[in-house]
Amino acid sequence: MRVLLGVRASGYAGEPFYRRGLGFVRRHQERLRGWLHGDRGGDPGDLEPTVDALAMGSLLLGPEPDGGAELRSILRAQQTPRGLYRHGLGPPGAAAGRRVLVGDNVLLLGVLPALGMDTTELAAAIRSELDEVPPAPPKTWIVLAYLGSLAAPTGGAEAHALVARLLDRLEPSRLGPVAALDDVALSAYLRVRADQCLRDADACNDLNAAVAALLGRRQGDGSWLAPAVAAVEGGGIEPSSTGSAVETTALALDGLATYRRILDGRAKGMLGASPADAAGAVLRR
């Protein structure tokens, strides 16, 4: 699902492989709901009974055909007294002890409005959680900001405000040299920062170095390698990651596709670019 979200933003949503992927997601969501209703027979196989899988599936598939009544019921059974949602799904009454991951809840900001559920309480709970966590490496905040950018198109003002809040933690003095980031963090940072530049009509020349670093790591077949160590869930903050090369490549394509829109804007003189910057738009190739 993470791969599909990345390639959708890169302009590949019309490709056959993407449509096949959506078919897998649809079947997964149907099996997950059956599992939640007690259909536990047979091998669970690749079933992932988690809130982030449910949220990503909802972002990919769009509005619920029944108006979301069933999904609202499932989510309310996972809610904690603080207003956050537990990571692992399960039957009502069996939620005690399940952990809470902030990344799941960031994604849910983009799901709740389509279900007719208010995001105010969830957004406030996320902000409170972020204020309480100990210092974390830049990658943690980058990944959370990226998840927020996935939720933002359907999450409205609350999701956009959260992304801005997370980006504030990524000032150059805190972030350090972008070349030191791994491919996942660098790609996610490029996507989120470029998206912000487009909203602010900013040429964002500081991103050129990030793009150069990311392109310098591309393999001969056009892909990017998996991280040396898969992302670790730490302190309930950073979401899980498969750490696969396919996922890294999809994320890199997402970031580069967003940056390409900045190059187009520079070339058309729409982002306050200097003539030298506009001439550099041949980097589109």
Side-chain angles (χ1 to χ4, degrees), residues 20-275:
R20 289 196 299 272
L22 284 188
F24 164 79
V25 174
R26 194 169 288 109
R27 290 190 297 273
H28 178 274
Q29 302 300 76
E30 291 170 354
R31 291 173 53 227
L32 177 56
R33 292 181 183 194
W35 184 86
L36 288 168
H37 288 304
D39 181 11
R40 308 295 171 86
D43 181 6
D46 53 12
L47 184 64
E48 189 177 352
T50 61
V51 163
D52 66 324
L54 196 67
M56 285 187 288
S58 298
L59 291 174
L60 285 163
L61 298 175
E64 295 286 310
D66 63 351
E70 183 185 23
L71 189 51
R72 281 196 298 273
S73 176
I74 291 172
L75 287 174
R76 283 169 179 156
Q78 314 305 318
Q79 194 171 21
T80 69
R82 292 191 64 181
L84 297 171
Y85 294 81
R86 297 175 177 87
H87 178 67
L89 294 172
R98 293 196 196 120
R99 59 182 176 166
V100 172
L101 295 180
V102 177
D104 298 355
N105 290 273
V106 171
L107 282 171
L108 282 177
L109 286 175
V111 175
L112 298 189
L115 300 175
M117 300 172 68
D118 185 50
T119 59
T120 306
E121 181 183 7
L122 176 59
I126 292 173
R127 289 194 295 269
S128 176
E129 189 77 8
L130 293 176
D131 288 341
E132 294 175 9
V133 301
K139 181 175 180 177
T140 296
W141 307 114
I142 292 171
V143 171
L144 287 175
Y146 175 73
L147 295 178
S149 74
L150 295 178
T154 51
E158 293 286 9
H160 283 294
L162 180 63
V163 173
R165 183 187 182 94
L166 290 166
L167 283 172
D168 286 342
R169 297 176 181 254
L170 298 175
E171 297 174 352
S173 59
R174 296 184 181 184
L175 181 63
V178 294
L181 297 172
D182 67 24
D183 292 355
V184 169
L186 184 57
S187 301
Y189 175 74
L190 177 59
R191 155 65 195 271
V192 177
R193 183 81 175 88
D195 196 43
Q196 180 191 42
C197 295
L198 289 167
R199 288 197 305 273
D200 297 343
D202 186 343
C204 278
N205 293 308
D206 59 290
L207 284 181
N208 297 344
V211 173
L214 185 61
L215 291 178
R217 301 174 191 174
R218 186 171 53 185
Q219 303 300 296
D221 63 356
S223 70
W224 280 261
L225 295 174
V229 179
V232 176
E233 295 174 358
I237 297 297
E238 188 172 323
S240 61
S241 171
T242 62
S244 71
V246 177
E247 185 178 342
T248 305
T249 300
L251 192 52
L253 289 174
D254 192 354
L256 290 170
T258 310
Y259 177 76
R260 186 171 61 184
R261 292 167 57 198
I262 291 180
L263 293 182
D264 290 339
R266 291 176 186 172
K268 296 173 183 176
M270 297 172 61
L271 290 171
S274 68

